[in-house]
């Protein structure tokens, strides 16, 4: 049997999870902004370069918010222990 050792550095366990969460947040923000521009009543239902750039910015903002939220909760958990 292969022994499983706990990670010596808990940060190494969190990095892949934070990266996946950041990618997911970026995609959700980008797709959400594109859907807003495509389906919101009253807007011209055209996806142009401006809408694409705003969607990318919204995805970046969503990723930043997710990363900062995860870092904040990690700090709270480490202080509690």
């Amino acid at each position: 049997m292969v022994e499983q050792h706990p990670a010596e550095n808990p940060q190494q366990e969190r990095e892949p999870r934070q990266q996946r969460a950041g990618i997911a947040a970026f995609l959700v923000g980008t797709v959400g902004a594109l859907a807003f521009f495509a389906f919101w009543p009253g807007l011209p239902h055209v996806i142009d370069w401006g809408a694409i750039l705003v969607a990318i910015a919204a995805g970046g903002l969503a990723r930043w918010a997710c990363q900062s939220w995860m870092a904040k909760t990690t700090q709270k958990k480490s202080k509690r222990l």
Side-chain angles (χ1 to χ4, degrees):
M1 286 278 178
V2 177
E3 293 182 34
Q4 294 183 358
H5 298 287
E8 295 176 14
N9 187 359
Q11 183 66 22
Q12 290 176 343
E13 292 177 355
R14 285 184 227 127
E15 285 178 8
R17 195 168 117 202
Q18 287 178 341
Q19 185 177 10
R20 285 191 308 268
I23 291 169
F26 178 80
L27 291 175
V28 166
T30 302
V31 170
L34 284 174
F36 172 80
F37 286 115
F39 298 114
W40 190 261
L43 288 178
H45 303 294
V46 176
I47 301 296
D48 59 355
W49 284 107
I52 292 171
L53 292 176
V54 170
I56 290 172
L61 181 65
R63 182 181 183 276
W64 172 79
C66 177
Q67 294 287 336
S68 65
W69 176 71
M70 289 182 75
K72 193 183 301 183
T73 56
T74 301
Q75 287 176 350
K76 285 181 182 178
K77 284 182 182 180
S78 65
K79 286 182 182 179
R80 203 171 18 169
L81 295 176

